[in-house]
Amino acid sequence: MNINQGLRLVAGIMILVSLALTYFVHVNWVYFTVFIAANLIQSAFTNWCPMMTIMKKMGMQQ
């Protein structure tokens, strides 16, 4: 698995977790989903994502 595939996997899992927390725990967890979306939009314009930096440090191949 390369960094792009890992990033998509992590983003998808985080969105599903945040939506489950919104539904089962409290409605304010929707702001976590908003944060994830804002980070994805930001990374599309700047070509930098904090999760990609973490994955590179973990030794994931590009």
Side-chain angles (χ1 to χ4, degrees), residues 17-28:
V17 167
S18 67
L19 290 175
L21 287 169
T22 300
Y23 185 76
F24 292 112
V25 179
H26 195 272
V27 72
N28 283 341

Side-chain angles (χ1 to χ4, degrees), residues 34-50:
V34 171
F35 168 75
I36 297 166
N39 191 16
L40 288 170
I41 292 168
Q42 174 273 134
S43 69
F45 289 105
T46 63
N47 203 25
W48 178 78
C49 178

